[in-house]
Amino acid sequence: MDASNGLGDFEETCDDDIKSFLDSSPPLKNAAEIKRKTEEFMRTNSNSENPKRIVLVTSGGTTVPLEQRCVRYIDNFSSGHRGATSAEYFLRAGYAVVFLYREGTYQPFCTSLPNNPLLECLQVTKESNIAACPQYEKTIKEAIINSHVVTSCGTLLKLPFTTIFEYLQNLKLIASSISSIGSRALFYLAAAVSDFYVPWESMAVHKIQSSSGPLDMRLVQVPKMLLMLRRDWAPKAFCISFKLETDKNILLKKAGTALEKYNMDMVVANELLTRKEEVIVVTKGGNVVVQRDRTRADADVEEPLIKLILDRHSASVSSVS
Amino acid sequence: MDASNGLGDFEETCDDDIKSFLDSSPPLKNAAEIKRKTEEFMRTNSNSENPKRIVLVTSGGTTVPLEQRCVRYIDNFSSGHRGATSAEYFLRAGYAVVFLYREGTYQPFCTSLPNNPLLECLQVTKESNIAACPQYEKTIKEAIINSHVVTSCGTLLKLPFTTIFEYLQNLKLIASSISSIGSRALFYLAAAVSDFYVPWESMAVHKIQSSSGPLDMRLVQVPKMLLMLRRDWAPKAFCISFKLETDKNILLKKAGTALEKYNMDMVVANELLTRKEEVIVVTKGGNVVVQRDRTRADADVEEPLIKLILDRHSASVSSVS
């Protein structure tokens, strides 16, 4: 451990917190299968004839259960739209993508469809065939074709999560595997990760009863895994984290702190109300304001954002090799 | 107010709590549209030539926002599977159905499809047509056809909610409209409604910060609307509420208390782990154990449950008229 940067005590406390968090989490049910899928994905995409760059895109919010036999939980608002759209751009740019997403949130190539596309976009014809309603035909077909192509040629691996416990265990597992390709690995951590949780061992086993007055809850901070990701799990990877705030006055300060504290390569700062129009990319070399192209109605902010990231990641790969 | 039943003080406190809850809730954004749709639905389904029975099925869980510009919220686990399946049986039995559902949960006629039917069940053929994968073809076509039929002939009205504030305001609005048909109205309240909430005026405006240690929260009880539904909003309707517990030792006691306290016609008692196999219907005339037909693999518990309810509702309508 390097204590000379003044972060020694902070790092040590974090290590203990993270170890205790992971040790006390309910174990991932399908860890062996996730490991197998990730390793197969790595073999397909990082062999010597075809050494792709690989990005882990995390997307959607994590939940914090309030009861072990869970009826209630705290959720973090996130549709997963940014993560899903970004994954598309990475795929188009030739990256192989591990998409770690919250169950039920947006999927790559499906971000412009209504909530319930089956009922809202499809019909059964007189000849008893399934057909898209005319206004959705192009979008629906592209969604199906693009999704099938990337899945069948092995450049997109989708892995779902729900709770904070599942998310962080998945992150560790995937990071340890992806780290084998060094600087060609990219982490794009767009998921909305819970800041507070109820430790599993102090959690009520049964549904909390409502008959006995108000409910007082004490939530403790989720340990900051970014530090461990950066330092231990994937030290050579290019790491991008996200900071979402509703109060723009504290946004850049908090993004800057995260950049320093966790030694990120970039922090993407979003404000809740304007996040689809503009983000500010905070880096050690200065801030870059990224805006969507307002001359095109369907342009999104992810297009210029991913373009910037591709450039910076390329520069970083070149400087290492 | 009838104080002779010993509930006088309880009812008075409830009235104050409910009034204060509704007064302080953020107002429904589309109240006028919901009112218009509900009234049109009532005109279609309760005119003198065609006086249908009408059921309000509520389905899925409500959320409790923790911040006014909401990033975090407490959610109640509910896939909406029971509500959606039950709505199908009511429609098949000739009822007109108002389906008040949590955005993103199961829809009637779609309960046996995978989470993401578009990507998992459909393909684009060489001739560039959309087709179902063979194993899903029958289910997909039935889902689309049945949904379109009930929507186009006006016997199914679907209205979404997300927060507890939206749910309860919708419930009041719809109940006041449906109550006009007296005993032909049925309330089937399967939604998982939050027991605790943070009052809007005491809620943090911005995202709660995680840098300052543990988070202490005080949640207060959501006032019990069932009392007001029964007494004021729709006094002649047949009312069924649900009680879900994870601890079977307290389940029947709590269901019995709800039956008495809110003067329900039935309380359906579910235990979390066995709720798809068996429920116990608690009524003033005694309890009925309802189980799915285990000789058929695809049989569900909703089929015999709705059958029982249809019988009891018919008896109740006859006894009144």
Side-chain angles (χ1 to χ4, degrees):
Chain A
M1 201 179 68
D2 178 10
S4 65
N5 59 8
L7 288 174
D9 287 350
F10 169 68
E11 290 191 13
E12 203 166 322
T13 314
C14 278
D15 285 356
D16 292 347
D17 289 351
I18 292 169
K19 188 170 181 312
S20 126
F21 179 92
L22 290 173
D23 286 350
S24 68
S25 295
L28 265 187
K29 283 197 189 105
N30 49 352
E33 192 195 341
I34 295 167
K35 197 154 183 284
R36 185 185 58 71
K37 282 185 177 172
T38 311
E39 282 168 1
E40 189 185 316
F41 177 84
M42 291 304 293
R43 274 196 300 277
T44 309
N45 292 293
S46 70
N47 56 57
S48 54
E49 298 98 68
N50 178 26
K52 283 186 188 293
R53 292 186 190 163
I54 294 178
V55 59
L56 170 67
V57 174
T58 69
S59 186
T62 63
T63 69
V64 164
L66 298 179
E67 298 132 341
Q68 287 189 10
R69 294 189 194 172
C70 182
V71 175
R72 301 189 186 89
Y73 53 92
I74 299 185
D75 207 342
N76 266 35
F77 165 75
S78 173
S79 67
H81 198 281
R82 170 150 294 154
T85 310
S86 303
E88 288 178 34
Y89 286 114
F90 281 119
L91 285 162
R92 291 199 173 110
Y95 279 60
V97 176
V98 181
F99 186 64
L100 182 62
Y101 69 98
R102 164 69 179 277
E103 191 85 69
T105 56
Y106 276 113
Q107 299 295 298
F109 306 112
C110 299
T111 50
S112 51
L113 293 172
N115 276 345
N116 194 336
L118 193 76
L119 298 186
E120 292 175 56
C121 310
L122 296 176
Q123 53 198 1
V124 175
T125 65
K126 283 180 196 154
E127 298 76 27
S128 187
N129 294 320
I130 295 171
C133 307
Q135 74 270 35
Y136 290 118
E137 186 165 358
K138 188 163 171 283
T139 324
I140 288 262
K141 284 184 179 170
E142 281 179 3
I144 298 172
I145 292 172
N146 287 334
S147 302
H148 287 195
V149 166
V150 291
T151 310
S152 65
C153 70
T155 50
L156 174 62
L157 172 64
K158 300 205 283 189
L159 296 170
F161 66 84
T162 299
T163 68
I164 179 79
F165 304 111
E166 290 163 1
Y167 174 79
L168 289 176
Q169 289 178 84
N170 266 299
L171 180 62
K172 182 178 179 189
L173 206 154
I174 299 163
S176 308
S177 182
I178 294 187
S179 71
S180 64
I181 61 163
S183 66
R184 279 189 290 120
L186 175 60
F187 287 83
Y188 183 88
L189 305 168
V193 181
S194 314
D195 293 311
F196 299 103
Y197 80 116
V198 182
W200 191 255
E201 68 277 10
S202 72
M203 203 181 286
V205 173
H206 286 294
K207 187 180 172 191
I208 299 165
Q209 294 302 311
S210 65
S211 45
S212 39
L215 174 64
D216 290 307
M217 281 196 305
R218 164 156 284 200
L219 301 171
V220 303
Q221 280 186 261
V222 173
K224 302 298 183 189
M225 298 286 171
L226 289 181
L227 195 73
M228 209 158 225
L229 173 71
R230 167 88 288 173
R231 197 193 59 193
D232 300 334
W233 299 345
K236 291 182 183 161
F238 195 87
C239 284
I240 305 169
S241 72
F242 284 70
K243 184 58 81 178
L244 172 75
E245 292 293 338
T246 60
D247 181 354
K248 71 175 174 189
N249 297 318
I250 62 171
L251 176 60
L252 285 182
K253 186 165 177 298
K254 295 207 67 165
T257 306
L259 187 80
E260 290 298 324
K261 206 163 168 182
Y262 309 120
N263 196 19
M264 293 287 104
D265 293 290
M266 284 182 172
V267 176
V268 180
N270 309 249
E271 199 199 327
L272 187 65
L273 293 177
T274 60
R275 70 194 190 284
K276 297 199 167 175
E277 293 294 318
E278 171 183 305
V279 296
I280 299 175
V281 176
V282 177
T283 74
K284 282 166 192 155
N287 298 352
V288 185
V289 178
V290 177
Q291 293 179 321
R292 74 178 194 88
D293 176 357
R294 287 176 200 175
T295 63
R296 289 188 294 129
D298 64 343
D300 53 46
V301 70
E302 286 79 13
E303 187 178 354
L305 173 62
I306 304 302
K307 194 171 175 309
L308 174 70
I309 290 171
L310 297 178
D311 290 346
R312 298 291 172 100
H313 188 208
S314 291
S316 162
V317 171
S318 308
S319 75
V320 171
S321 57
Chain B
M1 202 179 66
D2 178 12
S4 64
N5 58 7
L7 288 174
D9 287 350
F10 170 68
E11 289 192 13
E12 203 166 321
T13 314
C14 277
D15 285 356
D16 291 347
D17 289 352
I18 291 169
K19 188 171 180 314
S20 127
F21 179 92
L22 290 172
D23 286 350
S24 68
S25 295
L28 266 187
K29 283 197 188 106
N30 49 352
E33 192 195 341
I34 295 167
K35 197 155 182 284
R36 185 186 57 71
K37 283 184 177 172
T38 311
E39 283 168 0
E40 190 185 314
F41 176 84
M42 291 303 294
R43 274 196 301 277
T44 309
N45 292 294
S46 70
N47 56 58
S48 53
E49 298 98 68
N50 178 26
K52 282 185 188 294
R53 292 187 189 161
I54 294 178
V55 58
L56 170 67
V57 175
T58 70
S59 185
T62 63
T63 69
V64 165
L66 298 179
E67 298 131 340
Q68 287 189 9
R69 294 188 194 172
C70 183
V71 175
R72 300 190 187 89
Y73 53 93
I74 298 184
D75 207 341
N76 267 35
F77 165 76
S78 173
S79 66
H81 199 282
R82 170 150 294 154
T85 310
S86 303
E88 288 179 35
Y89 286 114
F90 281 119
L91 285 162
R92 291 201 173 109
Y95 279 60
V97 175
V98 181
F99 186 64
L100 181 62
Y101 69 99
R102 164 69 179 277
E103 191 86 69
T105 56
Y106 276 114
Q107 299 294 299
F109 306 112
C110 299
T111 50
S112 51
L113 293 171
N115 276 345
N116 194 335
L118 193 76
L119 298 186
E120 291 174 57
C121 310
L122 296 176
Q123 52 198 2
V124 176
T125 64
K126 283 179 195 154
E127 298 76 28
S128 188
N129 294 320
I130 296 171
C133 307
Q135 74 270 35
Y136 291 117
E137 186 164 356
K138 187 163 170 283
T139 324
I140 288 262
K141 284 184 180 170
E142 281 178 4
I144 298 173
I145 292 172
N146 287 334
S147 303
H148 287 195
V149 166
V150 291
T151 310
S152 65
C153 70
T155 50
L156 174 63
L157 172 65
K158 299 205 284 189
L159 297 170
F161 66 84
T162 299
T163 68
I164 179 78
F165 304 111
E166 290 163 1
Y167 174 79
L168 288 176
Q169 290 177 84
N170 267 299
L171 179 62
K172 182 179 181 189
L173 206 154
I174 299 163
S176 308
S177 182
I178 295 187
S179 71
S180 64
I181 61 163
S183 66
R184 280 190 290 120
L186 175 60
F187 287 82
Y188 183 88
L189 305 168
V193 181
S194 315
D195 293 311
F196 299 102
Y197 79 115
V198 183
W200 191 256
E201 68 277 10
S202 73
M203 203 181 287
V205 173
H206 286 294
K207 186 180 172 191
I208 299 165
Q209 294 302 309
S210 65
S211 45
S212 38
L215 174 64
D216 290 307
M217 281 196 305
R218 163 155 285 200
L219 301 171
V220 303
Q221 280 185 261
V222 173
K224 303 298 184 189
M225 298 286 171
L226 288 181
L227 195 73
M228 208 159 226
L229 173 71
R230 166 88 288 173
R231 198 193 57 193
D232 301 334
W233 299 345
K236 292 182 183 161
F238 195 87
C239 284
I240 305 169
S241 72
F242 283 69
K243 184 58 80 179
L244 172 75
E245 293 293 339
T246 60
D247 181 354
K248 70 175 174 189
N249 296 318
I250 62 171
L251 176 60
L252 285 182
K253 187 166 176 296
K254 295 206 67 165
T257 306
L259 187 80
E260 290 298 324
K261 205 164 169 181
Y262 309 121
N263 196 19
M264 293 287 104
D265 294 290
M266 283 182 173
V267 176
V268 180
N270 309 248
E271 199 200 326
L272 187 64
L273 293 177
T274 60
R275 70 193 190 285
K276 297 198 168 175
E277 293 295 319
E278 171 183 305
V279 297
I280 300 175
V281 176
V282 177
T283 74
K284 281 165 193 157
N287 298 352
V288 185
V289 177
V290 177
Q291 293 180 321
R292 74 178 195 88
D293 176 357
R294 287 175 201 176
T295 64
R296 289 188 294 128
D298 64 343
D300 53 46
V301 71
E302 286 78 13
E303 187 179 352
L305 173 63
I306 304 302
K307 194 171 174 311
L308 174 70
I309 291 171
L310 297 178
D311 290 346
R312 298 292 172 100
H313 188 208
S314 291
S316 162
V317 171
S318 308
S319 75
V320 171
S321 58

